């Protein structure tokens, strides 16, 4: 499937440094993949794989922030894989996009390993939530591949000494940490706090392949300054704005 332009919107990320075409109906990337990309401790010349890359938001944000980062993505929905390729080309970034499933990766990808592997897996278990009406959105939001398989695939594609970073819902954290601890070491957790006084809804979890350092729980990143949403204006904290608009890194420590 090829998306006609009339079915897409052109959305600005990183303060306009990156423009992504996304479907008007279906799954649309918000700030989550931007925060995920910003948290990756990548350096120029290293490689990054985005599992379930969608239209390419996380990988391309990382590529825009870190010049010379070699990008790859795996996406099971061919329409989104094609859109990720289009978005990479339109933004002048090179990205190898593979179409396939976590359990049935293309051979070329199964033979490769990366310095960084990232993922923004579907958040919601369908035994405890409602399916999305659009098939494309359901494919991105509703879990039909167990979280453990996501982590196992990421760990296998990560180089020794490399990093795996996921963003996920806080209520799934016990399950996610268990899967990480079975395959990775040096775990670090960064809660994302929506507003002052509110519980964390999202977390960033990072592990290192063959890492041996003790677990670290970092201070949370506060995203919005006011305790409640009072207007349609941007109310991000200065730190969150520097990350989301200015393309600065999200430092765990």
């Amino acid at each position: 499937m090829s998306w006609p332009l009339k079915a897409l919107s052109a959305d600005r990320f990183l303060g306009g440094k990156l423009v992504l075409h996304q479907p008007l109906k279906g799954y649309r990337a918000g700030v989550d993949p931007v925060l995920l990309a910003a948290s990756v401790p990548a350096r120029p010349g290293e490689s990054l794989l985005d599992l379930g890359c969608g239209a390419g938001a996380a990988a391309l944000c990382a590529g825009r922030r870190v010049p010379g980062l070699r990008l790859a993505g795996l996406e099971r929905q061919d329409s989104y894989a094609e859109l990720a390729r289009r978005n990479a080309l339109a933004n002048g970034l090179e990205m190898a996009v593979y179409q396939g499933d976590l359990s049935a990766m293309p051979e070329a990808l199964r033979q490769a390993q990366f310095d960084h592997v990232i993922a923004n897996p579907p958040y919601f278990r369908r035994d405890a939530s409602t399916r999305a009406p659009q098939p494309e959105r359901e494919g991105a939001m509703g879990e039909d591949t167990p979280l453990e398989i996501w982590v196992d695939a990421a760990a296998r594609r990560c180089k020794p000494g490399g990093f795996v970073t996921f963003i996920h819902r806080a209520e799934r954290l016990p399950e996610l940490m268990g899967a990480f601890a079975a395959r990775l070491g040096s775990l670090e957790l960064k809660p994302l706090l929506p507003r002052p006084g509110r519980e964390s809804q999202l977390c960033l979890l990072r592990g290192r392949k063959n890492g041996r350092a003790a677990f670290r729980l970092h201070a949370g990143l506060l995203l919005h300054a006011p305790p409640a949403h009072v207007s349609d204006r941007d109310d991000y904290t200065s730190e969150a704005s520097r990350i989301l608009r200015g393309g600065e890194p999200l430092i765990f420590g």
Side-chain angles (χ1 to χ4, degrees):
M1 171 183 172
S2 180
W3 297 92
L5 282 178
K6 65 180 181 180
L8 302 172
S9 64
D11 301 307
R12 294 160 57 89
F13 289 78
L14 302 178
K17 299 180 183 69
L18 186 76
V19 178
L20 294 182
H21 284 93
Q22 301 192 92
L24 293 169
K25 296 181 180 180
Y27 175 74
R28 295 172 55 79
V31 301
D32 298 7
V34 185
L35 295 168
L36 173 62
S39 73
V40 178
R43 295 176 294 183
E46 293 185 334
S47 56
L48 177 145
L49 170 65
D50 183 3
L51 296 177
C53 67
L60 294 176
C61 281
R64 180 62 79 220
R65 183 173 64 82
V66 183
L69 185 63
R70 292 178 286 116
L71 305 175
L74 174 69
E75 173 54 45
R76 69 175 182 175
Q77 299 187 71
D78 57 355
S79 58
Y80 277 89
E82 186 260 347
L83 190 54
R85 296 185 190 101
R86 287 170 57 178
N87 281 327
L89 183 62
N91 284 277
L93 293 168
E94 292 188 13
M95 179 177 173
V97 181
Y98 299 89
Q99 199 276 319
D101 195 80
L102 290 174
S103 58
M105 293 185 187
E107 181 64 23
L109 189 55
R110 289 204 307 269
Q111 299 301 319
Q113 287 190 312
F114 300 82
D115 298 293
H116 303 275
V117 182
I118 63 174
N120 181 11
Y123 286 157
F124 302 106
R125 291 177 53 170
R126 284 309 182 224
D127 58 358
S129 57
T130 303
R131 296 180 64 87
Q134 299 97 352
E136 295 86 358
R137 183 173 178 81
E138 173 60 23
M141 300 301 294
E143 178 185 288
D144 59 12
T145 299
L147 195 51
E148 184 178 14
I149 293 179
W150 282 84
V151 178
D152 185 68
R156 289 176 182 275
R157 299 280 67 78
C158 186
K159 292 180 179 179
F163 295 93
V164 173
T165 309
F166 278 36
I167 188 170
H168 217 292
R169 300 275 298 180
E171 66 261 27
R172 304 293 302 276
L173 188 56
E175 182 183 353
L176 184 63
M177 287 193 66
F180 264 60
R183 298 163 178 83
L184 302 160
S186 305
L187 303 190
E188 299 183 68
L189 177 66
K190 182 77 170 179
L192 302 173
L193 309 175
R195 296 186 183 275
R198 302 281 187 90
E199 293 182 357
S200 174
Q201 297 177 343
L202 292 174
C203 296
L204 288 159
L205 183 63
R206 176 194 298 158
R208 191 166 196 177
K209 192 163 185 177
N210 300 337
R212 296 186 177 182
F215 169 71
R216 298 183 66 187
L217 173 59
H218 296 282
L221 170 65
L222 182 63
L223 297 178
H224 298 275
H229 181 71
V230 295
S231 73
D232 292 334
R233 298 196 320 175
D234 189 330
D235 61 1
Y236 288 116
T237 63
S238 58
E239 184 179 5
S241 184
R242 289 195 298 269
I243 294 167
L244 295 171
R245 306 286 186 245
E248 294 189 10
L250 192 166
I251 306 298
F252 267 43

